[in-house]
């Protein structure tokens, strides 16, 4: 018999992962300099939904008080955070 979808639904909040990857600060190898675009956050547009934090595959987005910040030592510049940010608070800019 096939399992029902409800068999896979978490039974409590504790069963839901905090993020899709490790928490910020987990990675140990710094970006080697190949990133050519970087995400830049405009905290005046940020509504604090934390979708960028949840979707960043490298877990390099973190919260500082009421502000969202990025650990550029480990961000690979994939742009997922920018795509997922509905208020448009994250723009990808060329590396200087
Ligand atoms: S996804 Fe955008 S609005 Fe949401 S917390 Fe991140 S920067 Fe802020
Ligand atoms: S560009 Fe990619 S790696 Fe960098 S913060 Fe955004 S989602 Fe994470």
């Amino acid at each position: 018999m096939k399992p029902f979808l409800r068999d896979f639904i978490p039974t409590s909040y504790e069963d839901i992962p905090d993020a899709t990857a490790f928490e910020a600060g987990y990675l140990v190898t710094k970006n080697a300099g190949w990133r050519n675009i970087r995400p830049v956050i405009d905290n005046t547009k940020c509504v604090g939904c934390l979708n960028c934090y949840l979707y960043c595959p490298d877990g390099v987005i973190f919260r500082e008080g009421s502000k969202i910040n990025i650990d550029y030592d480990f961000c690979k510049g994939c742009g997922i955070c920018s795509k997922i940010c509905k208020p448009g608070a994250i723009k990808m800019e060329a590396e200087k």
Side-chain angles (χ1 to χ4, degrees):
M1 191 172 101
K2 286 185 181 173
F4 291 105
L5 178 61
R6 65 172 178 262
D7 295 335
F8 298 102
I9 296 174
T11 54
S12 70
Y13 178 78
E14 286 73 30
D15 293 331
I16 301 172
D18 293 332
T20 55
F22 305 109
E23 67 273 19
Y26 187 88
L27 298 175
V28 293
T29 306
K30 284 192 179 182
N31 181 300
W34 41 259
R35 183 183 61 215
N36 57 10
I37 52 173
R38 64 161 55 195
V40 176
I41 299 177
D42 179 350
N43 272 291
T44 62
K45 291 184 181 173
C46 174
V47 297
C49 67
L50 294 182
N51 273 338
C52 53
Y53 163 76
L54 286 170
Y55 280 85
C56 173
D58 288 342
V60 300
I61 295 180
F62 56 98
R63 195 166 54 179
E64 269 182 333
S66 61
K67 292 187 175 178
I68 303 296
N69 216 333
I70 294 169
D71 186 344
Y72 288 113
D73 279 348
F74 301 105
C75 165
K76 63 187 171 197
C78 66
I80 290 173
C81 55
S82 177
K83 291 273 186 196
I84 205 70
C85 178
K86 290 201 171 125
I90 305 179
K91 299 286 180 220
M92 300 305 290
E93 295 183 3
E95 284 285 346
K96 294 174 187 152

